[in-house]
Amino acid sequence: NTPAVDVTLTSVNQLCPIMGSTVTEDGGTTEFDGKLVGFCCPSCDGKWSKLSDTNKAAKLASADTIKEADNGHGHDDGDKDVEKKDAKQGVVLDD
């Protein structure tokens, strides 16, 4: 398992805006709206880059309100929870 990063020193979010898992050191970061955004894994950065700025802002605003998965990385069940929350908020990936 990848250790969590001290996000207070690196990114503005504690939970990944894509998957809802804890931000990790090897998850990577990107800058958005003058803020450093952290991810739980490298694949989330690619998904983030496909979002419109409006959807990025919505996901970032809700990132720390998503309940983190209790076991593992959270990409299986956690991904479904994030998708349900996004659907309720009208957030969609841009194709």
Side-chain angles (χ1 to χ4, degrees), residues 2 6 11 17 22 32 35 39-40 52 59 68 77 84-85 90:
T2 305
D6 183 354
S11 63
T22 303
F32 172 70
K35 301 172 187 161
F39 302 102
C40 61
S52 68
K59 282 194 156 290
E68 182 178 2
D77 295 333
K84 286 179 187 176
K85 183 173 181 157

Side-chain angles (χ1 to χ4, degrees), residues 2 4 7 9-10 15 20 22 33 36 38 44 46-48 50 59 63 69 71 75 78 82 86-88:
T2 305
V7 294
L9 299 176
T10 57
L15 299 179
T22 303
D33 197 26
L36 192 62
C44 288
K47 292 176 183 178
W48 174 265
K50 293 180 181 180
K59 282 194 156 290
N71 297 322
H75 279 214
V82 172
D86 288 345
K88 288 180 184 177

Side-chain angles (χ1 to χ4, degrees), residues 36 44-45 65-66 92 94:
L36 192 62
C44 288
D45 186 22
T65 63
I66 300 168
V92 295
D94 299 328

